[in-house]
Structures are given as C-alpha cells and as structure tokens.
Amino acid sequence: TAYYYSSSKITTMGLHDFKYGKIQAKIKTVDGEGFWPAFWLMPDEDILWPQGGEIDIMENRGRISNVSSSALHFGKKYDDKSTLVGEVLIPRSVKFQEKYHSVSLLWQEDKIEFYFI
C-alpha cells in the first residue's frame, strides 16, 4: 500500500511579533491518517525550543477528527519541559472538518484564553 502526503508551512518570522493581544484566523481542517493541521506561535528570535516557549492555538489530529487542542510548551530543553494542554471534544454531529471555524487566542498579562467557534 502506498501513501502520498503533502505538507505546507507558512513562515512569518520577522514579519510581525507581539506580546499580548488577540489573534484570530478562520481555519478549515482536514481529517485522515497523517494529517495534523495546526495554528501556533513561536518566538521571534533564534532560541532553542522550548526555551522561548510555544503557543499552540489549535491542533487537530486528522485521525482523531472530533478533538481539537490548545497548548503551552515551555522549559529548559526538550527532555526538561512542561506542557499545559486543553482539549475540546467536538460532537461528531458537528462535522468539524466540513466548514471554516474561527480560532482565537486572547493573550493578556495574567492569562491566556483560547476560543473555537
């Protein structure tokens, strides 16, 4: 059995950076083995992961089509890091992959909130 996959990446490093505020996108995900659509933020500086942190606004594993997650990754190095994850269980009747959804991050000094609409 042959499997064919393609992937894409949009790199915006150096184009815009921010600390605190709201970022929002309309996203349509796909389902299926091997897909892992994601919308995430990395530091705008050359620093080893996870020292600069990572904010996953939305990740949707294609093989698990009714769960989306948001996460924070931070720490000293790959094997000495912390991860905070929140997951949303989407009722299968919603058919999440069939239309665009608004995915947002509201980042304030003392909290971060994630929204799926």
Side-chain angles (χ1 to χ4, degrees):
T1 303
Y3 296 97
Y4 299 95
Y5 296 100
S6 64
S7 181
S8 66
K9 175 180 172 182
I10 299 171
T11 301
T12 58
M13 187 171 189
L15 298 178
H16 182 72
D17 65 343
F18 68 96
K19 183 176 182 179
Y20 310 136
K22 181 177 182 178
I23 186 167
Q24 180 174 336
K26 285 202 166 226
I27 296 175
K28 183 176 181 184
T29 65
V30 295
D31 61 351
E33 189 72 30
F35 293 105
W36 196 308
F39 175 36
W40 42 277
L41 304 174
M42 298 290 289
D44 197 25
E45 57 187 79
D46 191 14
I47 187 168
L48 292 175
W49 187 90
Q51 293 175 13
E54 174 185 341
I55 301 174
D56 296 324
I57 300 171
M58 186 275 317
E59 288 187 304
N60 186 261
R61 291 170 280 307
R63 64 181 166 67
I64 310 171
S65 62
N66 68 325
V67 175
S68 280
S69 63
S70 300
L72 304 175
H73 303 279
F74 52 95
K76 295 180 182 177
K77 53 187 180 174
Y78 182 78
D79 61 354
D80 184 15
K81 66 174 175 55
S82 295
T83 299
L84 301 172
V85 178
E87 291 186 331
V88 174
L89 179 61
I90 302 161
R92 292 198 187 275
S93 62
V94 170
K95 300 182 182 184
F96 190 73
Q97 287 74 19
E98 290 186 4
K99 59 176 135 172
Y100 284 86
H101 297 275
S102 176
V103 179
S104 306
L105 162 77
L106 180 57
W107 184 5
Q108 299 174 337
E109 186 175 0
D110 60 343
K111 67 181 174 179
I112 293 179
E113 298 173 339
F114 301 93
Y115 297 94
F116 295 85
I117 300 174

